[in-house]
Amino acid sequence: MKKKDIFLIILRCVIALSLFAVAIIYYDELSTIDVRALADVTDKLVILIIMVLSLYIVKALVFVVPASLVYVAVGAIMDPVIAVIVNLTGIFIEVSVTYWLGRFLGKDAVHKLLSKKETGRKLLEKDIQSKASVLLTIRAIPAFPIDFVSLFYGASGCAYLKYALLSLAGISWRVILFTILGDAIFSWIPMDKIILIVICLIPVGVIYYLVKKFVLEPKKANKEQTGEK
């Protein structure tokens, strides 16, 4: 093995362990961070925006900062239009940073990390990195953690621009709602009922797939072979 390869392996291990250590040591502070307090630090909008976007970078690296906490807080300290733009920009930065972290750490390291969590294991069990519709669906339904998905796609070698744009498109609806409605979103949108509906739709999707695969497609193939129209 070349010295360069050994150095990269050591560097990847050091970075991964360092991020893990930070997440563990500062878990309580990061998981309950008061984003609204940033407005007390400065009254200059540009500096405030930079601080919020920097927080998104931290969120992308340590995985423990609650997403909804950030969306709501930014909506509370900024004008609605600016807040939405800042949060969408922050999400784009977040999914990009974690994607490139996954690309840097490599497939083996990321798979080892994801295998420790149930949602991570579900990702590893599916060959989804090449399917745009699946990525868009995963991002639209808040079932998988944003950063775990980003790590997976980075390590899988999915094309970055396609991944980043689909991720932003899928996540944007809830970012906008949380930013504008704030804490009131939990009374406006019964997330438990939405999740129940999604679960109920899964069998419908499975039945459709089976009918298409074993009934419709064979019929179509048979017609093509016999020359029917």
Side-chain angles (χ1 to χ4, degrees):
M1 185 179 292
K2 296 180 180 179
K3 290 183 178 180
K4 181 180 178 182
D5 295 331
I6 296 175
F7 173 76
L8 285 175
I9 292 174
I10 295 174
L11 182 60
R12 287 168 178 165
C13 291
V14 169
I15 291 176
L17 290 174
S18 298
L19 293 175
F20 179 74
V22 170
I24 293 297
I25 294 171
Y26 296 101
Y27 177 82
D28 290 337
E29 292 86 346
L30 291 170
S31 61
T32 59
I33 190 169
D34 184 6
V35 183
R36 291 179 174 89
L38 295 178
D40 298 329
V41 177
T42 179
D43 57 355
K44 294 184 179 180
L45 181 60
V46 174
I47 296 178
L48 183 58
I49 290 174
I50 292 173
M51 293 172 66
V52 170
L53 295 181
S54 298
L55 178 60
Y56 270 103
I57 295 176
V58 173
K59 183 179 182 302
L61 295 173
V62 298
F63 313 145
V64 297
V65 180
S68 58
L69 187 71
V70 180
Y71 309 152
V72 172
V74 172
I77 62 178
M78 296 181 186
D79 291 335
V81 175
I82 295 176
V84 168
I85 294 174
V86 170
N87 273 337
L88 289 177
T89 303
I91 281 296
F92 187 83
I93 292 173
E94 179 183 353
V95 298
S96 297
V97 169
T98 315
Y99 169 92
W100 289 112
L101 176 64
R103 179 70 69 89
F104 174 75
L105 292 178
K107 188 174 182 179
D108 292 339
V110 169
H111 281 207
K112 185 176 180 181
L113 176 62
L114 293 180
S115 64
K116 297 177 180 179
K117 299 286 186 178
E118 183 179 355
T119 50
R121 289 194 292 271
K122 289 180 180 179
L123 280 173
L124 297 177
E125 292 169 358
K126 301 178 183 298
D127 180 23
I128 61 176
Q129 61 265 32
S130 61
K131 301 176 182 178
S133 59
V134 176
L135 172 58
L136 189 61
T137 302
I138 287 177
R139 289 307 201 186
I141 302 173
F144 294 99
I146 292 174
D147 298 319
F148 276 8
V149 175
S150 299
L151 272 179
F152 175 80
Y153 274 87
S156 70
C158 176
Y160 165 70
L161 188 58
K162 169 186 172 183
Y163 150 84
L165 293 177
L166 286 172
S167 293
L168 182 62
I171 300 171
S172 60
W173 74 268
R174 63 180 186 269
V175 174
I176 294 171
L177 285 179
F178 271 101
T179 303
I180 295 176
L181 296 179
D183 296 326
I185 191 172
F186 295 107
S187 60
W188 281 68
I189 302 177
M191 294 303 296
D192 56 336
K193 293 183 176 60
I194 290 178
I195 293 174
L196 178 61
I197 291 172
V198 171
I199 293 174
C200 292
L201 287 175
I202 292 175
V204 177
V206 172
I207 292 172
Y208 170 77
Y209 171 79
L210 294 175
V211 171
K212 180 181 178 182
K213 185 72 175 178
F214 297 104
V215 179
L216 299 180
E217 289 183 358
K219 282 185 176 181
K220 182 179 179 181
N222 185 52
K223 286 182 178 181
E224 290 177 351
Q225 290 177 354
T226 57
E228 295 181 15
K229 295 185 179 179

